[in-house]
Amino acid sequence: QVQLVESGGGLVQAGGSLRLSCVASGRTFSNYVMGWFRQAPGKEREFVAAISGGGSTDYADSVKGQFTISRDNAKDTVYLQMNNVEPEDTAVYYCAARLTRLWYRWSERRDYDYWGQGTQVTVSS
């Protein structure tokens, strides 16, 4: 079992930056692919970014060049650096984990075994 706890959400003005964190506990963190998803009001949960245990990354086209995913295996933590945010980035952001050392485009909700409770990000115009 893996527990995921997100933090770092809040209210930010358009054009600003925010860094989300997700701390994992329960298993060897480096054995997990970690992902970030988001869900805006009235919309489906969508893939944002993923990172392998070794640091390979993948992004949704909508956030490439704007968001950066990273991880610190020594701290069991994955981050999402959000720059130049826009009102369209307003959503609940979820951290997710998949137990695999295989790197692939893990971009579907069903690809992940564990989820955090989410952290709200609100971007004001």
Side-chain angles (χ1 to χ4, degrees):
Q1 191 74 6
V2 175
Q3 292 78 43
L4 304 173
V5 179
E6 302 99 332
S7 62
L11 177 63
V12 60
Q13 289 189 330
S17 297
L18 208 60
R19 189 175 81 156
L20 307 182
S21 299
C22 172
V23 179
S25 61
R27 294 282 182 92
T28 303
F29 183 66
S30 60
N31 288 340
Y32 285 83
V33 167
M34 301 299 297
W36 284 99
F37 286 70
R38 65 184 180 185
Q39 187 166 17
K43 294 188 176 181
E44 295 290 320
R45 192 172 301 188
E46 65 175 3
F47 171 74
V48 175
I51 187 167
S52 71
S56 297
T57 58
D58 188 22
Y59 295 92
D61 289 342
S62 58
V63 305
K64 281 182 181 177
Q66 182 190 6
F67 292 0
T68 301
I69 189 171
S70 63
R71 67 191 293 162
D72 185 339
N73 289 339
K75 295 183 178 180
D76 293 348
T77 303
V78 61
Y79 305 97
L80 186 68
Q81 178 67 43
M82 306 167 61
N83 295 330
N84 194 26
V85 294
E86 303 169 347
E88 293 72 26
D89 296 317
T90 294
V92 177
Y93 283 73
Y94 296 90
C95 173
R98 177 186 175 96
L99 178 57
T100 181
R101 296 181 68 87
L102 175 64
W103 181 237
Y104 183 69
R105 183 170 174 81
W106 304 110
S107 61
E108 301 292 333
R109 286 185 64 175
R110 62 176 179 269
D111 292 335
Y112 291 84
D113 307 304
Y114 304 100
W115 292 83
Q117 82 289 349
T119 185
Q120 176 71 48
V121 172
T122 303
V123 182
S124 62
S125 57

